[in-house]
Amino acid sequence: MDEFCYKARKDSVEYVRRMVNSILKPEQFGFRESFEGIYEDIPAFLIYDSEWCRVEFVYDGSERWSPPNIIVNYGRLHAPNRENFMEMKCIYWHLVWEPMAFLDGISAEEYATTKKGYKPDFVSPYWEKVLSDGENRAEWHLRMHRAIWEYYGMRLFELFDLRRPDLWERYRHFLKEFYRIYGWNPSPNYPFPPPWEVC
């Protein structure tokens, strides 16, 4: 990686760190920064760990977001810092929508009918700001996750806790049922694990 490219990626990671620490304040929820990812061929990212789970914050400066966005993924403590997607045996990193539906007690059948539209009421104002032109999407995205953390409390983090395999198995069953009802069928050449193969 040349010096200019490294500096640009370092600046991206510093932007993520500044936004995460000032808005989300992960230390208040028991998280500490554990990994900084600056690679030539993937977006810059930071990972924070707690005793329950990991959270990944990915800089998204793609053309669809201006100003840049920050994508938030959740993983269990065995989630790798960055897997080779072509060698994935299961899905380690997860967006928050399916976990929220599960925690809200939404059935797989109900979720299959609201897949594109389900969001808890308290999330909608933040999500509208994330999608609005001219807004600081990263700020509103992180404010939304702060509201999610405050609303669900430890229930969200414990879903990913390796010490709660019973809860994780119920979540896996929820996903498998949802995708069965939704009718998701990968092609024979689909290179990734099916979306219910979470770990």
Side-chain angles (χ1 to χ4, degrees):
M1 182 185 311
D2 64 40
E3 185 176 345
F4 177 80
C5 182
Y6 177 82
K7 183 180 185 313
R9 289 177 179 275
K10 184 68 175 175
D11 289 347
S12 298
V13 126
E14 290 301 332
Y15 172 78
V16 172
R17 180 178 288 116
R18 184 175 67 254
M19 296 292 282
V20 167
N21 290 337
S22 65
I23 296 170
L24 196 53
K25 297 181 170 56
E27 73 281 353
Q28 294 180 358
F29 296 87
F31 286 89
R32 292 181 180 230
E33 184 182 326
S34 63
F35 191 81
E36 174 186 286
I38 302 176
Y39 302 113
E40 189 163 6
D41 57 343
I42 61 175
F45 64 96
L46 288 174
I47 295 176
Y48 287 68
D49 289 351
S50 74
E51 68 174 280
W52 307 279
C53 64
R54 314 188 83 192
V55 185
E56 178 189 55
F57 301 95
V58 182
Y59 179 86
D60 186 353
S62 58
E63 291 180 4
R64 65 187 180 133
W65 301 115
S66 180
N69 197 1
I70 295 173
I71 306 303
V72 183
N73 298 311
Y74 295 80
R76 306 177 87 195
L77 287 178
H78 63 201
N81 291 337
R82 179 57 64 169
E83 67 264 42
N84 181 336
F85 289 106
M86 299 308 293
E87 297 175 1
M88 287 171 60
K89 301 290 189 287
C90 59
I91 297 171
Y92 289 100
W93 290 103
H94 316 273
L95 295 174
V96 77
W97 308 115
E98 279 81 11
M100 285 196 298
F102 174 77
L103 293 172
D104 285 347
I106 304 297
S107 70
E109 292 83 1
E110 185 179 356
Y111 191 61
T113 64
T114 60
K115 169 82 169 94
K116 297 196 184 293
Y118 172 77
K119 291 189 176 46
D121 290 342
F122 76 93
V123 162
S124 295
Y126 298 97
W127 190 241
E128 288 168 9
K129 291 284 191 181
V130 171
L131 297 178
S132 295
D133 290 335
E135 295 287 350
N136 187 326
R137 294 175 170 90
E139 176 182 347
W140 285 103
H141 211 161
L142 293 174
R143 288 190 187 283
M144 180 180 73
H145 282 271
R146 172 79 189 203
I148 289 168
W149 290 13
E150 290 173 346
Y151 180 84
Y152 290 100
M154 295 311 304
R155 291 193 306 138
L156 175 61
F157 307 139
E158 286 177 346
L159 173 60
F160 296 93
D161 194 338
L162 292 169
R163 299 167 295 190
R164 295 293 310 275
D166 56 325
L167 187 59
W168 190 252
E169 282 306 309
R170 282 170 32 214
Y171 176 61
R172 287 184 65 193
H173 178 73
F174 165 81
L175 286 178
K176 194 165 189 177
E177 280 298 291
F178 157 65
Y179 282 105
R180 181 185 66 79
I181 295 164
Y182 193 65
W184 189 87
N185 292 306
S187 70
N189 297 325
Y190 187 70
F192 308 116
W196 58 84
E197 288 296 336
V198 296
C199 58

